[in-house]
Amino acid sequence: MKNVLIIGATGQIGSELTMKIRREYPGGTTVAGYIPGSEPQGKLLTSGPAEEVNVCNPKQIEDVVNKYDIDTIYNLAALLSATAERLPLKAWDIQMNGLLNILEIARTHNCAVFTPSSIGSFGPTTPHVNTPQDTIQRPTSMYGVTKVATELLSDYYFHKYGVDTRSVRFPGLISYMTPPGGGTTDYAVEIYYAAVKGEEFVCPIAPGTYMDMMYMPDALKAAVDLMRAKPRYLQHRNAFNIASMSFTPEIIYEAIKKEIPEFKMRYEVDPVRQAIADSWPDKMDDTCARKEWGWAPSYDLESMTKDMIKHLREKLL
Ligand code: AKB
């Protein structure tokens, strides 16, 4: 990994991943790929090159790959689960046609490709507790359909053409820098903003709904460590279960209340997000990631909560 293109560099994952890779690979070039309307700002803009790269425009991708002699592409362009239910054709276009553009360019220009999968690649018939690495994947959301197809297409390009594709199934990602948008797990970020601002939180997910979640530093570590892993140890490629914590709304609420005792929450369940959440695992088994490339998270709910509140206080108050 020397010259890296991050497509979707101004999004929730991309904004932090771009900075991490620039820090860890100072001898290479990390290009922040963005679409008009979400141009990079601040350090993201000043610390390295930025180029307009729409995943649905193969010429734009190829021009940037040629210009910077790119060897690794992180393809983070996606509509998240709740938005994808509203805009299924657009989600298909970005997630599938966009991926195909990238894989074709990777094939002809010898690039490695990381395209995230998600807990959304599972469905109601998947075992929900300790969800195995290799199991039933029959998702019922458009987001899930595109994520399973992403895994399959990425494996296809590896087996048929030798393209070095690798991926993880991300849980809901929690961070204090760039907010997510349109996801089912977004509540687990929004709850911290409400708590720090001293507002009551209206939770769109019903009590008792477990979902896998992860703090952003662990997610970034996974995205970098997997691409660094020795290929001979990888029995799986697209995509590894990775896990660090699983909780319900009432469990995260209690964890925040330990730090901010006056914090209040009530429920107003969103039926679209709830149906998606009910179809997803409660908790994934990440044994294969641990064995094949040494995956190990650093944060649990308590340490993440302390860190989130500290950083959000600095940012918001
Ligand atoms: C979403 O909620 O859509 C995403 C995901 C779990 O993939 N955060």
Side-chain angles (χ1 to χ4, degrees), residues 22-40:
R22 282 180 179 163
R23 275 194 306 274
E24 295 194 8
Y25 292 87
T29 304
T30 302
V31 182
Y34 64 92
I35 50 169
S38 61
E39 286 78 4

Side-chain angles (χ1 to χ4, degrees), residues 12 79-82 117-120 143 147 170-173 180-186 211-212 276 280:
Q12 191 203 13
L79 295 190
L80 294 185
S81 51
S117 186
S118 157
I119 52 174
Y143 182 68
K147 287 296 168 191
F170 277 134
L173 299 182
T184 302
T185 57
D186 293 8
M211 284 186 275
D212 274 299
I276 294 173
W280 287 357

Side-chain angles (χ1 to χ4, degrees), residues 7 45 62 83-84 105 109 171 173 178 222 225 248 254 261-262 295-296:
I7 297 181
L45 180 64
E62 192 168 22
T83 307
I105 290 162
H109 293 71
L173 299 182
T178 310
D225 287 356
T248 61
E254 287 306 325
E262 63 282 10
W295 159 247

Side-chain angles (χ1 to χ4, degrees), residues 66-125:
N66 284 330
K67 180 170 169 188
Y68 295 93
D69 194 18
I70 296 294
D71 56 67
T72 305
I73 301 173
Y74 281 87
N75 167 25
L76 307 177
L79 295 190
L80 294 185
S81 51
T83 307
E85 279 313 282
R86 259 194 315 110
L87 302 168
L89 299 187
K90 189 167 179 196
W92 180 270
D93 196 31
I94 294 172
Q95 266 113 273
M96 299 318 312
N97 297 331
L99 174 64
L100 201 58
N101 291 336
I102 290 170
L103 290 172
E104 270 300 293
I105 290 162
R107 178 176 74 77
T108 49
H109 293 71
N110 201 21
C111 302
V113 181
F114 178 96
T115 308
S117 186
S118 157
I119 52 174
S121 69
F122 297 113
T125 50

